[in-house]
Amino acid sequence: MGLLDEKFLKLGAEYAPGQEVRQDTNEVQLRGEIIAGTPVDFSHGDVDAFEPIPGSLDQFIEGVHIGGKQAYTEYRGSHSIRENIAHKLATFTDSTVHAERNLIITPGTQGALFLAMGSTVARGDKVAIVVPDYFANRKLVEFFDGEIVPIQMDYYSTDTCAGIDLTQLEDAFKAGVKLFLFSNPNNPTGVIYSPAEIRVIAELAQKYGATVIVDELYSRQIFDERIYTHLCAQHIVDPENVITIIGPSKTESLSGYRLGVAFGSAKIIERMEKLQAIVSLRAGGYSQAVLKSWFSEPEGWMAERIAQHQAIRDDLMAKLHAAEGFKVRATEAGSYLFPRLPQLDVTVNDFVKILRLQAAVTVTPGTEFGPQYTDSFRINFSQDHRAAVEAIERIIKVVEGYRK
Amino acid sequence: MGLLDEKFLKLGAEYAPGQEVRQDTNEVQLRGEIIAGTPVDFSHGDVDAFEPIPGSLDQFIEGVHIGGKQAYTEYRGSHSIRENIAHKLATFTDSTVHAERNLIITPGTQGALFLAMGSTVARGDKVAIVVPDYFANRKLVEFFDGEIVPIQMDYYSTDTCAGIDLTQLEDAFKAGVKLFLFSNPNNPTGVIYSPAEIRVIAELAQKYGATVIVDELYSRQIFDERIYTHLCAQHIVDPENVITIIGPSKTESLSGYRLGVAFGSAKIIERMEKLQAIVSLRAGGYSQAVLKSWFSEPEGWMAERIAQHQAIRDDLMAKLHAAEGFKVRATEAGSYLFPRLPQLDVTVNDFVKILRLQAAVTVTPGTEFGPQYTDSFRINFSQDHRAAVEAIERIIKVVEGYRK
């Protein structure tokens, strides 16, 4: 088998969120009746239930009318829009962001993540990633021929921090890891790293001269007034060794415009732009104009959106707690829950297919986030409230038919 | 110097089209007066002079109103839109394109090119590319750690074909090249490969079991009723070894929507989708809806656009022929001219900076398309007709001040 065959074997997308129609369901055996109900796709948020920031489409149309200047921006994005968001991101994260040197606009935060990893991972490099974490993190290290050093996060052991194993992280740095990538809030569990955890991560990175990439995609949607800590605001790590990634695809529901941002290290941003020049040239020009609405939402819009999501979380948690054998930690930020299933006599991949066929509910198998999560699944509960609650009831009902 | 430092040194984007504002012009010495005139940016087409396909924005807005289904498509793109364009591309190229297996929608044709190369180039692979050709081709081979095998194209030796050295191509295949990438019409020269050239390329690829990636971005804008030959329509190469790339960013002026398409080999398309899953997830969902207007332009719209471009070409050619010491071959398709300059006593990179500062004219230095083109520059003449002619006059005037 050739190098590329091996590489692409590791990049399987069949179980990735949004790809469910490509799954082979010929072998799946259903037990019992179809359970009727409004179909719910928990693999991503529902932008029909939670609509984009008001005025986003108007900003886009204005961009189209600006014409050529908006269609063809610098590869790192329109200068005036970088100015606009650099200021807002500096305020949000309490850090310094120069529009000219420290920021790049990308096609989604996925684009930012790809460029950041492509700019920092050389063949054979050891890269520390958290388990569980966003499914693409592992694939990115593999694509760039890095070596994954997993750092365990025991999210059930605590409810005052994320539960990352900091000893393991220091051991990884000692063993030569020069890059640490993690999402905060964590995807898939929805937990937040505590101020103490972030401080230690920053101190270790600084001590060992490592670069840190922090994916803060969901950091604006914080529940229960918890404290959120931006690593870039700690002023512990050399700012040239930190990249922060964020975007308006989740809480703000702008995913259809494919917009993301990376900010931090001027050297890494410069590389990211060079790479973007051969990857996709730039984030869609007209779409970039939509970023003007970001962090400029109407008064109260964000607070209401957070409250609505917290209410959905509470109802789903109550249902799961009442059901036998499920285990779940409450989401602290973002829209993900990562429940553990009771023991089943089918694999989690088959369970996911069964759910879709029998109950019109789409979820993402835990194994996308770490090989050991054969008993967990992720849901994005940014959905119509009532439909989400009914879908969780159907999940619980389906489980009854497949218990071990 | 580390692996990544070396790699990114080769990915310099300072002289790439659209990046001119990032050029260092401190050292540039101007001779003579500023020559006033409407600024013209020949580094890309002007979508204000040649506007997008009528109704494109309406298609986009309709996509936004479709909502979640349009925002979150499969990674390879919306099924119904793939159906729509697969049919149109099959007709256009006289080949078989199954929407389900043979086609992926990407963020621009740049996106398609990146994914196609990432899916076919393994570390150490020998990859044949034409010189001159699109500037990113070389950079892509370098980024994926391939080894470039240049194939010369002597475009001044003939006006009945492109002038590719087919002996050199066969030698390359004999020496182990398994991938050949080229643009047709050629970028930057605007020449078309003859039916005989395409047939021999196809026969050689088939004989040596090589894969061919053909960038046909400008293949709809053919001048003087010339014959254009789609390699995929020859039925010579195993269809699983051919990828064709095309998109609506040029003649159709849809660049601001970032849309491209690759079609052909099911195996390579499948890899490209897996790679897209970690690169940018998908082409912007709402933008994908704009593809409905592609190949469905109003009656006569395309013919008129081609005629307008041919008229601009004719006027620019006349000016360049009348000037002393310029050499240029007439564009056969697309909007590029690649004139050779008289001998100057400044480098082509400095000349490009001088042009911008002294005459408000932006062009791309020949060295972006091959290291030996130190005496050539590329222009995209999809511009306001009168402004383009005046800008060429200014170029000719500036040259006077810097002759050797």
PDB file of all heavy atoms in Angstrom, chain B residues 4-19:
ATOM      1  N   LEU B   4      10.167  23.307   7.992  1.00  0.00           N
ATOM      2  CA  LEU B   4       9.077  24.230   7.664  1.00  0.00           C
ATOM      3  C   LEU B   4       9.597  25.569   7.160  1.00  0.00           C
ATOM      4  O   LEU B   4       9.005  26.175   6.278  1.00  0.00           O
ATOM      5  CB  LEU B   4       8.170  24.445   8.869  1.00  0.00           C
ATOM      6  CG  LEU B   4       7.161  23.339   9.142  1.00  0.00           C
ATOM      7  CD1 LEU B   4       6.367  23.658  10.405  1.00  0.00           C
ATOM      8  CD2 LEU B   4       6.209  23.138   7.971  1.00  0.00           C
ATOM      9  N   ASP B   5      10.700  26.035   7.756  1.00  0.00           N
ATOM     10  CA  ASP B   5      11.287  27.289   7.280  1.00  0.00           C
ATOM     11  C   ASP B   5      11.624  27.174   5.800  1.00  0.00           C
ATOM     12  O   ASP B   5      11.316  28.051   5.005  1.00  0.00           O
ATOM     13  CB  ASP B   5      12.555  27.635   8.075  1.00  0.00           C
ATOM     14  CG  ASP B   5      12.233  28.028   9.513  1.00  0.00           C
ATOM     15  OD1 ASP B   5      11.271  28.789   9.709  1.00  0.00           O
ATOM     16  OD2 ASP B   5      12.941  27.569  10.418  1.00  0.00           O
ATOM     17  N   GLU B   6      12.261  26.061   5.453  1.00  0.00           N
ATOM     18  CA  GLU B   6      12.612  25.827   4.039  1.00  0.00           C
ATOM     19  C   GLU B   6      11.387  25.794   3.159  1.00  0.00           C
ATOM     20  O   GLU B   6      11.338  26.397   2.094  1.00  0.00           O
ATOM     21  CB  GLU B   6      13.327  24.469   3.899  1.00  0.00           C
ATOM     22  CG  GLU B   6      14.798  24.521   4.170  1.00  0.00           C
ATOM     23  CD  GLU B   6      15.422  23.148   3.993  1.00  0.00           C
ATOM     24  OE1 GLU B   6      15.279  22.552   2.912  1.00  0.00           O
ATOM     25  OE2 GLU B   6      16.033  22.663   4.965  1.00  0.00           O
ATOM     26  N   LYS B   7      10.377  25.065   3.631  1.00  0.00           N
ATOM     27  CA  LYS B   7       9.172  24.897   2.820  1.00  0.00           C
ATOM     28  C   LYS B   7       8.481  26.249   2.590  1.00  0.00           C
ATOM     29  O   LYS B   7       8.094  26.565   1.468  1.00  0.00           O
ATOM     30  CB  LYS B   7       8.237  23.925   3.543  1.00  0.00           C
ATOM     31  CG  LYS B   7       6.976  23.613   2.780  1.00  0.00           C
ATOM     32  CD  LYS B   7       6.159  22.534   3.459  1.00  0.00           C
ATOM     33  CE  LYS B   7       6.683  21.157   3.145  1.00  0.00           C
ATOM     34  NZ  LYS B   7       5.740  20.084   3.530  1.00  0.00           N
ATOM     35  N   PHE B   8       8.371  27.041   3.643  1.00  0.00           N
ATOM     36  CA  PHE B   8       7.651  28.307   3.502  1.00  0.00           C
ATOM     37  C   PHE B   8       8.470  29.366   2.755  1.00  0.00           C
ATOM     38  O   PHE B   8       7.902  30.285   2.188  1.00  0.00           O
ATOM     39  CB  PHE B   8       7.122  28.791   4.850  1.00  0.00           C
ATOM     40  CG  PHE B   8       5.854  28.091   5.215  1.00  0.00           C
ATOM     41  CD1 PHE B   8       5.871  26.903   5.927  1.00  0.00           C
ATOM     42  CD2 PHE B   8       4.638  28.584   4.779  1.00  0.00           C
ATOM     43  CE1 PHE B   8       4.691  26.222   6.217  1.00  0.00           C
ATOM     44  CE2 PHE B   8       3.456  27.920   5.054  1.00  0.00           C
ATOM     45  CZ  PHE B   8       3.484  26.734   5.790  1.00  0.00           C
ATOM     46  N   LEU B   9       9.778  29.186   2.760  1.00  0.00           N
ATOM     47  CA  LEU B   9      10.604  30.080   1.952  1.00  0.00           C
ATOM     48  C   LEU B   9      10.245  29.933   0.474  1.00  0.00           C
ATOM     49  O   LEU B   9      10.274  30.894  -0.293  1.00  0.00           O
ATOM     50  CB  LEU B   9      12.077  29.709   2.183  1.00  0.00           C
ATOM     51  CG  LEU B   9      13.083  30.845   2.036  1.00  0.00           C
ATOM     52  CD1 LEU B   9      12.779  31.963   3.020  1.00  0.00           C
ATOM     53  CD2 LEU B   9      14.491  30.315   2.275  1.00  0.00           C
ATOM     54  N   LYS B  10       9.875  28.711   0.080  1.00  0.00           N
ATOM     55  CA  LYS B  10       9.516  28.459  -1.319  1.00  0.00           C
ATOM     56  C   LYS B  10       8.094  28.906  -1.647  1.00  0.00           C
ATOM     57  O   LYS B  10       7.685  28.891  -2.798  1.00  0.00           O
ATOM     58  CB  LYS B  10       9.646  26.959  -1.620  1.00  0.00           C
ATOM     59  CG  LYS B  10      11.064  26.436  -1.562  1.00  0.00           C
ATOM     60  CD  LYS B  10      11.078  24.955  -1.906  1.00  0.00           C
ATOM     61  CE  LYS B  10      12.442  24.333  -1.653  1.00  0.00           C
ATOM     62  NZ  LYS B  10      12.346  22.880  -1.522  1.00  0.00           N
ATOM     63  N   LEU B  11       7.345  29.250  -0.615  1.00  0.00           N
ATOM     64  CA  LEU B  11       5.941  29.615  -0.836  1.00  0.00           C
ATOM     65  C   LEU B  11       5.722  31.118  -0.809  1.00  0.00           C
ATOM     66  O   LEU B  11       4.615  31.583  -0.562  1.00  0.00           O
ATOM     67  CB  LEU B  11       5.056  28.955   0.230  1.00  0.00           C
ATOM     68  CG  LEU B  11       4.887  27.448   0.180  1.00  0.00           C
ATOM     69  CD1 LEU B  11       3.906  26.994   1.250  1.00  0.00           C
ATOM     70  CD2 LEU B  11       4.404  26.978  -1.181  1.00  0.00           C
ATOM     71  N   GLY B  12       6.776  31.890  -1.069  1.00  0.00           N
ATOM     72  CA  GLY B  12       6.631  33.347  -1.031  1.00  0.00           C
ATOM     73  C   GLY B  12       5.427  33.827  -1.823  1.00  0.00           C
ATOM     74  O   GLY B  12       5.227  33.408  -2.954  1.00  0.00           O
ATOM     75  N   ALA B  13       4.615  34.689  -1.234  1.00  0.00           N
ATOM     76  CA  ALA B  13       3.413  35.174  -1.920  1.00  0.00           C
ATOM     77  C   ALA B  13       3.511  36.665  -2.227  1.00  0.00           C
ATOM     78  O   ALA B  13       2.566  37.263  -2.720  1.00  0.00           O
ATOM     79  CB  ALA B  13       2.174  34.886  -1.066  1.00  0.00           C
ATOM     80  N   GLU B  14       4.692  37.246  -1.997  1.00  0.00           N
ATOM     81  CA  GLU B  14       4.840  38.698  -2.124  1.00  0.00           C
ATOM     82  C   GLU B  14       4.544  39.181  -3.547  1.00  0.00           C
ATOM     83  O   GLU B  14       3.985  40.256  -3.737  1.00  0.00           O
ATOM     84  CB  GLU B  14       6.281  39.074  -1.740  1.00  0.00           C
ATOM     85  CG  GLU B  14       6.524  40.552  -1.615  1.00  0.00           C
ATOM     86  CD  GLU B  14       8.018  40.859  -1.406  1.00  0.00           C
ATOM     87  OE1 GLU B  14       8.821  39.923  -1.315  1.00  0.00           O
ATOM     88  OE2 GLU B  14       8.343  42.057  -1.358  1.00  0.00           O
ATOM     89  N   TYR B  15       4.947  38.392  -4.545  1.00  0.00           N
ATOM     90  CA  TYR B  15       4.753  38.805  -5.938  1.00  0.00           C
ATOM     91  C   TYR B  15       3.542  38.136  -6.579  1.00  0.00           C
ATOM     92  O   TYR B  15       3.304  38.280  -7.769  1.00  0.00           O
ATOM     93  CB  TYR B  15       6.023  38.540  -6.760  1.00  0.00           C
ATOM     94  CG  TYR B  15       7.145  39.447  -6.320  1.00  0.00           C
ATOM     95  CD1 TYR B  15       8.088  39.026  -5.394  1.00  0.00           C
ATOM     96  CD2 TYR B  15       7.196  40.763  -6.779  1.00  0.00           C
ATOM     97  CE1 TYR B  15       9.084  39.878  -4.957  1.00  0.00           C
ATOM     98  CE2 TYR B  15       8.189  41.624  -6.345  1.00  0.00           C
ATOM     99  CZ  TYR B  15       9.133  41.173  -5.438  1.00  0.00           C
ATOM    100  OH  TYR B  15      10.106  42.027  -4.998  1.00  0.00           O
ATOM    101  N   ALA B  16       2.800  37.381  -5.801  1.00  0.00           N
ATOM    102  CA  ALA B  16       1.625  36.698  -6.338  1.00  0.00           C
ATOM    103  C   ALA B  16       0.546  37.727  -6.670  1.00  0.00           C
ATOM    104  O   ALA B  16       0.474  38.787  -6.045  1.00  0.00           O
ATOM    105  CB  ALA B  16       1.110  35.678  -5.332  1.00  0.00           C
ATOM    106  N   PRO B  17      -0.281  37.414  -7.654  1.00  0.00           N
ATOM    107  CA  PRO B  17      -1.326  38.353  -8.050  1.00  0.00           C
ATOM    108  C   PRO B  17      -2.239  38.701  -6.874  1.00  0.00           C
ATOM    109  O   PRO B  17      -2.675  37.805  -6.153  1.00  0.00           O
ATOM    110  CB  PRO B  17      -2.114  37.578  -9.114  1.00  0.00           C
ATOM    111  CG  PRO B  17      -1.246  36.460  -9.539  1.00  0.00           C
ATOM    112  CD  PRO B  17      -0.323  36.165  -8.415  1.00  0.00           C
ATOM    113  N   GLY B  18      -2.488  39.982  -6.684  1.00  0.00           N
ATOM    114  CA  GLY B  18      -3.381  40.428  -5.621  1.00  0.00           C
ATOM    115  C   GLY B  18      -2.670  40.783  -4.335  1.00  0.00           C
ATOM    116  O   GLY B  18      -3.252  41.361  -3.422  1.00  0.00           O
ATOM    117  N   GLN B  19      -1.387  40.462  -4.235  1.00  0.00           N
ATOM    118  CA  GLN B  19      -0.647  40.681  -2.990  1.00  0.00           C
ATOM    119  C   GLN B  19       0.262  41.913  -3.081  1.00  0.00           C
ATOM    120  O   GLN B  19       1.115  42.110  -2.217  1.00  0.00           O
ATOM    121  CB  GLN B  19       0.214  39.453  -2.673  1.00  0.00           C
ATOM    122  CG  GLN B  19      -0.572  38.234  -2.289  1.00  0.00           C
ATOM    123  CD  GLN B  19      -1.397  38.451  -1.046  1.00  0.00           C
ATOM    124  OE1 GLN B  19      -2.571  38.813  -1.121  1.00  0.00           O
ATOM    125  NE2 GLN B  19      -0.788  38.303   0.113  1.00  0.00           N
TER     126      GLN B  19
END
